Amino acid sequence: MSTPATSARNWVLGVGLLVASLAWADKPAKVPLQVDVVSVSNEGTVLEPATLKKMKDTFDRQGLSFTAYRQLSSARLEVSAEPPTELKLPNGRTVSLRLDKLDKDSAQVKLSIPGLLDESRVTLGKAGTVYQQAGNHRGGKLVLVLSPSR
Amino acid sequence: MAHNPACERFWPELSPFIDGELAPSERTHLERHLAACPDCTALVADLRAGSGLMRLGMEMAADEADFTDFAQKVLARVTPDRPPFMERLRLSFDEFFTHQRNVWMTSLATAAVVMLVAVPVLLLRTAQPAGYAGELMELQAVRVAEEAHVQPVVLEAEADKATIVWLVDEPTRDDEDEDLRRQVSPKSPAAAPNLNTPRPEGGEL
């Protein structure tokens, strides 16, 4: 006949094993990715937020001189192979992100914008940024800023 | 000595009577009997004398005894020598695991559960997110939609560890013609080709 102490011990062990198995259970592969949407134009002189100065300096050095940079959204997305992660853009377009490859912990993400971009493949890395233009927006352009997950 | 049989029931009360240990009602009852019984009264006197002699003898013996360090000597006999630390530790563990088996089994199980849950969570939080084995974010390929009539221009800003994918509008037929016109001298309009004539088409060989 089990004592209360034995029953309590068995209960604790059972719950612990269940929780541990859930934690280690196989789940669909997902990679985190930071995606910001920035509007660039020559209407006014603004940097919202001020951290966009680095982006402005990069663009200036490459000959893309805009005076106004506005961050419209910022999201940390979990990108998987299926289903694709969709992000609606202010210019009416939708960007679709899909985990295209995950090989030895190196992930490649594919972006597509129907009607504009069939595909743009980006290999994720610990540093660096990819700026993907995503069409026109209110006299300027929309830019997707892809960076390592924060 | 002849005695009254009725006195026998009072004899067990005589010694407590002398020591003051009788209940009030019993003491009153006995005193009433002693007032009427000279034999029991004589017996009480004998008992009092014997008790006094015994007390005197004990007091004389106590006076002769040496009570120096009495407390220490008693305590020494009560408390044994303290064993070494390791021995005491071993005994503590033995007693704990023998008599507190349920407690330590439950504690061990709880600790194991906490480790099973907490360690993976902590490791996952501190570890590099999956998919970021590469050093830099790199553009591998870009392909624009045909209907968009744009061309991708890839700008590598190595100093900024950045890649810019810019989409520029494809030049139209009119744009090409305008560029060509600009190349021709405006002072010799006759030399300008007639751009309105249809382009020659291929035919049968």
Side-chain angles (χ1 to χ4, degrees), chain A:
Chain A
M1 189 173 81
S2 63
T3 63
T6 306
S7 300
R9 180 199 68 198
N10 293 340
W11 184 85
V12 167
L13 279 173
V15 168
L17 285 170
L18 177 65
V19 172
S21 64
L22 288 174
W24 287 104
D26 285 338
K27 294 179 184 174
K30 284 187 181 181
V31 292
L33 181 64
Q34 184 68 31
V35 179
D36 303 333
V37 180
V38 177
S39 163
V40 298
S41 69
N42 286 316
E43 293 180 11
T45 306
V46 64
L47 281 173
E48 288 178 357
T51 51
L52 288 178
K53 184 171 186 320
K54 182 185 171 189
M55 178 179 172
K56 183 179 185 303
D57 291 342
T58 301
F59 273 45
D60 286 346
R61 281 191 275 270
Q62 298 300 319
L64 298 170
S65 298
F66 295 98
T67 59
Y69 288 73
R70 289 183 179 85
Q71 182 174 296
L72 303 179
S73 69
S74 178
R76 181 184 184 274
L77 304 177
E78 294 281 338
V79 182
S80 61
E82 286 294 337
T85 303
E86 294 193 339
L87 190 64
K88 289 198 185 306
L89 300 177
N91 59 1
R93 297 188 183 273
T94 301
V95 59
S96 174
L97 299 104
R98 188 193 300 266
L99 177 61
D100 200 48
K101 234 190 306 185
L102 182 59
D103 182 29
K104 292 181 184 177
D105 210 28
S106 175
Q108 191 172 101
V109 171
K110 174 184 159 184
L111 290 86
S112 59
I113 304 175
L116 182 66
L117 184 71
D118 278 350
E119 67 173 9
S120 182
R121 293 174 186 271
V122 176
T123 299
L124 304 186
K126 298 183 185 70
T129 312
V130 172
Y131 300 97
Q132 171 67 59
Q133 197 222 81
N136 299 325
H137 179 64
R138 293 186 179 179
K141 301 286 185 186
L142 274 186
V143 178
L144 298 174
V145 183
L146 309 175
S147 55
S149 167
R150 290 194 276 265

Side-chain angles (χ1 to χ4, degrees), chain A residues 9 32 119 121 123 127 131, chain B residues 132 137-138 140 143 163 165:
Chain A
R9 180 199 68 198
E119 67 173 9
R121 293 174 186 271
T123 299
Y131 300 97
Chain B
Y132 283 87
M137 302 277 288
E138 288 184 13
Q140 300 297 323
R143 186 162 55 89
T163 304
V165 183

